[in-house]
Amino acid sequence: MANPHSEILSCSDSESKAAYKDPSVESVKLEAGYNSDEVDAAFERRTIRFVDWRILPLLALLYSFALIDRINLGAAYTAGMGTDLGLTKGARYSIATCLYFVPYIIFQLPGNLVLRKFGVRNWLTFSVIAWGSVQLGMGFVPTWGYLTATRILLGALEASFFPAMVYIISTWYKRHEVQKRLAIFYLISITMGGIGPILAYVFSLLDGKRNISGWAWIFIIEGAITLFLGVIAWFFIPDFPDQNKFLSPEQTALVLKRIEEDRGDSIPDEITRSKVFKHLGDWTLWSYGIMFMCSTLPAYAQAYFLTIILRGLGWSKTAAMLLSAPPYLPAIATTMFFSWLSDRTKHRGGFIVIQALICLIGLTLTAFSSNGNVRYFGVFLLNAGNSGTIPGILAYSSNNVVSHSKRSVQSALTVSMGGVGGIIASTVYRGQDAPRYLPGLGVTLGSQGLLILLVGITHIYFRRLNSLARKGQLEKPLEGQPGFLYTL
């Protein structure tokens, strides 16, 4: 039974609840001889800890290089690519940056919908090796047009990866365990992303070796590392709980039992076209997506333009690349703290708002201070606030859906809207606005206000429905799941 004090909702429906029963899963439960009345707490802790170590580090490492491969354009530009490929003319750099996100947005939902059909290992290994090959090839492009073409291809191949990560992680844990895990996954990724500029600087020192420019070495070496990780992924990437091969039957039965008791979707329902369109008609899924767009806009803006902004403030090329890394450090502490607090209190929205306000303060300092050091300090605050809102929104959205079909739609839609944030960031930070980039920073400030507004709207809406459900004033249980309430 659901905990009556938890502000949770299972967002499956009567159609989703008619899930097919996988014989292999049922046999696992029988073979395990699992007694639902006898839960060994120590055995449960060991199992979940093993799941943590088996899933989170590898997925985070893979995504960190997806992130590095995506955002290394700014470092390459600073290392000489801008001059060599003529990206300094007009809006060429913004075009090359922006067009990546068009296929990235388009292919996320289809990629998530076929994840079970092709298998996690097959689909995600293909994605990693394919985009690693493209990344390596970017080191040999002769013109900015070819660079843009490879960026478009990179966007298509990376599209399904991040939503698949969120989808997979959310199926393994109870709703109020998931934000800490998403935060750990994301923090490992952004920490690696934070050292991306340092790696780029080191790789750029190979300038002239084998008659290859330093910026090209950045793409070549990082692409080669990604290809290596693709091979590792083939052997070790985790699957869904009901399909996993690394747990014992008893452990698998425990994981499935925990999920079933928490939200009733341990066994996946079949994904059909009618279900997909029904889920897309839920306005709350779109609100999560817009929230995520607002949270990714500052992150992408920093990733693509911080080194360029620092150059505009008078720092040397080397200093600008190296100084891009430290602002990621405070995000580790703040993201883990707010994630721990959010899981402990079983509350999401209020902590998202607090972090958005911290980000707003940082953006204000960076946008309007005339002192370069104060503007740089603002970037630290920007990161400290913004980084935690990303796993917070992912947890907020995943907590309020239950069926596998809806979860696949929700995770893809949410992350794809994050790509819209990338498009906005790549277009509002224009070359003619250097070195202060006030229009871009103004748009980013506005995005945090919109994020706070949307959290407030969904909070009020969910709170009202929860109240009606508790009073028995609804014609049917919320989303067809008796006893479940929305996470606020």
Side-chain angles (χ1 to χ4, degrees), residues 290-334:
I290 298 172
M291 290 180 207
F292 197 66
M293 176 194 76
C294 294
S295 69
T296 58
L297 202 162
Y300 279 124
Q302 176 173 287
Y304 286 126
F305 294 98
L306 181 57
T307 53
I308 299 171
I309 291 174
L310 290 173
R311 286 299 306 274
L313 291 175
W315 300 100
S316 68
K317 179 178 75 173
T318 299
M321 294 175 72
L322 295 179
L323 287 173
S324 297
Y328 287 92
L329 296 177
I332 298 173
T334 56

Side-chain angles (χ1 to χ4, degrees), residues 336-398:
M336 280 310 302
F337 172 73
F338 282 112
S339 296
W340 170 80
L341 199 58
S342 182
D343 274 350
R344 184 177 179 85
T345 59
K346 300 182 179 180
H347 179 76
R348 307 296 185 206
F351 299 116
I352 294 172
V353 169
I354 291 171
Q355 292 172 96
L357 289 172
I358 295 172
C359 181
L360 267 172
I361 295 170
L363 282 165
T364 302
L365 292 177
T366 301
F368 301 114
S369 174
S370 58
N371 185 301
N373 291 327
V374 173
R375 293 186 72 194
Y376 182 55
F377 173 70
V379 178
F380 280 80
L381 290 181
L382 184 162
N383 245 323
N386 174 245
S387 293
T389 63
I390 292 176
I393 293 166
L394 292 174
Y396 188 33
S397 57
S398 67

Side-chain angles (χ1 to χ4, degrees), residues 9 23 45 68 70 72 79 81 95 150 152 180 206 218 258-259 286 291 368 410 418 447:
L9 170 69
R45 285 195 299 272
I68 288 172
R70 185 185 316 163
N72 58 14
M81 181 183 69
I95 291 171
T150 56
I152 293 171
K180 290 192 295 291
L206 294 173
I218 295 173
R258 295 172 81 249
I259 300 307
W286 292 93
M291 290 180 207
F368 301 114
Q410 166 264 315
S447 72

Side-chain angles (χ1 to χ4, degrees), residues 240-256:
F240 292 105
D242 60 293
Q243 297 175 332
N244 87 85
K245 300 292 193 298
F246 63 88
L247 294 180
S248 69
E250 292 81 6
Q251 290 174 317
T252 298
L254 171 64
V255 169
L256 294 174

Side-chain angles (χ1 to χ4, degrees), residues 90-265:
R92 288 181 176 181
Y93 179 71
S94 290
I95 291 171
T97 304
C98 175
L99 289 182
Y100 163 92
F101 291 101
V102 176
Y104 183 76
I105 293 169
I106 292 172
F107 291 114
Q108 288 201 359
L109 180 55
N112 245 20
L113 295 179
V114 301
L115 188 59
R116 276 190 172 272
K117 179 178 179 62
F118 291 113
V120 171
R121 184 174 73 162
N122 296 333
W123 185 246
L124 295 186
T125 299
F126 163 76
S127 296
V128 175
I129 290 178
W131 94 60
S133 300
V134 172
Q135 177 74 9
L136 190 151
M138 286 172 64
F140 301 97
V141 294
T143 66
W144 83 277
Y146 281 102
L147 175 71
T148 302
T150 56
R151 289 284 299 175
I152 293 171
L153 187 56
L154 191 69
L157 294 169
E158 285 189 354
S160 62
F161 196 76
F162 187 36
M165 299 294 97
V166 176
Y167 181 17
I168 292 167
I169 291 171
S170 66
T171 61
W172 277 92
Y173 300 100
K174 293 181 179 180
R175 280 164 292 179
H176 296 129
E177 296 172 341
V178 77
Q179 186 168 339
K180 290 192 295 291
R181 271 73 182 193
L182 287 171
I184 292 169
F185 163 76
Y186 182 68
L187 281 174
I188 295 174
S189 303
I190 66 167
T191 301
M192 290 296 294
I195 68 172
I198 298 176
L199 292 176
Y201 169 69
V202 172
F203 298 153
S204 71
L205 296 178
L206 294 173
D207 185 35
K209 298 292 184 182
R210 297 184 178 274
N211 295 318
I212 297 175
S213 300
W215 62 264
W217 278 114
I218 295 173
F219 295 136
I220 293 169
I221 296 176
E222 291 179 356
I225 294 172
T226 302
L227 287 172
F228 171 74
L229 290 175
V231 176
I232 299 297
W234 172 258
F235 293 101
F236 296 106
I237 200 161
D239 215 318
F240 292 105
D242 60 293
Q243 297 175 332
N244 87 85
K245 300 292 193 298
F246 63 88
L247 294 180
S248 69
E250 292 81 6
Q251 290 174 317
T252 298
L254 171 64
V255 169
L256 294 174
K257 173 181 178 292
R258 295 172 81 249
I259 300 307
E260 190 65 31
E261 291 180 346
D262 181 59
R263 59 177 178 267
D265 71 351

